[in-house]
Amino acid sequence: MSHAILDLVEQAMSSPWLYVALFALALLDGFFPIVPAETSVITAAVFAASGETNLALVIVVAALGAFAGDHISYLIGHKSARRLRDKKAFVWARGALAERGGLVLVVARYIPGGRTATTLTMGAVRHPLREFTFFDAIAASSWAVYSGLIGFFGGMAFENDPIKGLLLGLGIALSVTAVVEIVRWARKRRAIKASPEGLPADTSV
């Protein structure tokens, strides 16, 4: 069974349409966060260790797709400001944006659901597009490099067993995400305790 799955994955990795698919998944992930863009980039990068894919091309198309998807999300937020105003994620992102400006976009790239909430919010509050584009270029590029290198080094560690390399890469990515979420949760609790009446204070990242 595992050999059959591996054969299917290897066929997909050798397909000339792979890079188009990676671009499309990264783009969709910008405004439809259940799309497994990060998993796809890590998987493609794992196989780059054995020469099945091109690591540089994987990173470039993932970054371009993420950049385009974030801008679509920004436009959606721009058009849907009234409907988003009372959403919990919108309130969180607006508070973080007020404190840290465009830098929060870079941080939110690594928080599940946070990236979409932030890009939508920046569009909804009419954040300057030029500044959004600047910080989003940093966010999308760093995310693509991060995902690509995690997969690549996982593939190098298990060059003869790409499934284990993939599992290692995904495990590292999930661990980093978990650490970010734990730190954010701890800061939120500390902020609540420090507030005069025990009410939620700023919970930005």
Side-chain angles (χ1 to χ4, degrees):
M1 183 67 178
S2 60
H3 289 295
I5 294 173
L6 182 57
D7 287 341
L8 287 173
V9 174
E10 287 179 338
Q11 288 176 23
M13 292 301 108
S14 60
S15 170
W17 292 99
L18 168 68
Y19 303 103
V20 176
L22 286 175
F23 176 87
L25 288 170
L27 183 148
L28 288 171
D29 187 51
F31 53 92
F32 195 57
I34 64 171
V35 174
E38 188 168 300
T39 302
S40 302
V41 175
I42 291 173
T43 302
V46 164
F47 283 85
S50 58
E52 293 283 340
T53 60
N54 184 302
L55 178 63
L57 196 51
V58 167
I59 291 173
V60 168
V61 297
L64 290 174
F67 182 80
D70 288 346
H71 277 72
I72 292 174
S73 182
Y74 177 94
L75 292 175
I76 292 173
H78 193 277
K79 299 291 185 182
S80 310
R82 291 183 180 178
R83 282 182 290 174
L84 292 172
R85 196 157 293 156
D86 297 326
K87 299 287 186 181
K88 184 177 180 181
F90 180 91
V91 173
W92 165 80
R94 185 172 56 191
L97 186 59
E99 181 180 348
R100 292 194 168 95
L103 187 61
V104 74
L105 181 60
V106 179
V107 177
R109 243 293 144 183
Y110 300 88
I111 301 173
R115 67 187 70 165
T116 305
T118 302
T119 51
L120 285 171
T121 301
M122 293 180 84
V125 300
R126 309 298 198 267
H127 195 84
L129 181 58
R130 181 178 295 181
E131 184 176 337
F132 174 85
T133 298
F134 173 76
F135 281 102
D136 192 50
I138 297 173
S141 299
S142 65
W143 170 81
V145 170
Y146 155 79
S147 300
L149 291 182
I150 281 179
F152 182 73
F153 287 119
M156 286 186 66
F158 295 96
E159 191 170 349
N160 297 320
D161 194 341
I163 294 297
K164 288 183 179 179
L166 174 58
L167 292 175
L168 175 62
L170 292 175
I172 294 173
L174 289 173
S175 298
V176 171
T177 301
V179 169
V180 170
E181 285 296 299
I182 290 170
V183 170
R184 189 160 70 92
W185 175 82
R187 290 189 61 189
K188 180 179 179 180
R189 283 185 59 85
R190 188 167 64 246
I192 291 173
K193 289 179 179 179
S195 62
E197 299 176 0
L199 298 174
D202 178 29
T203 58
S204 58
V205 176

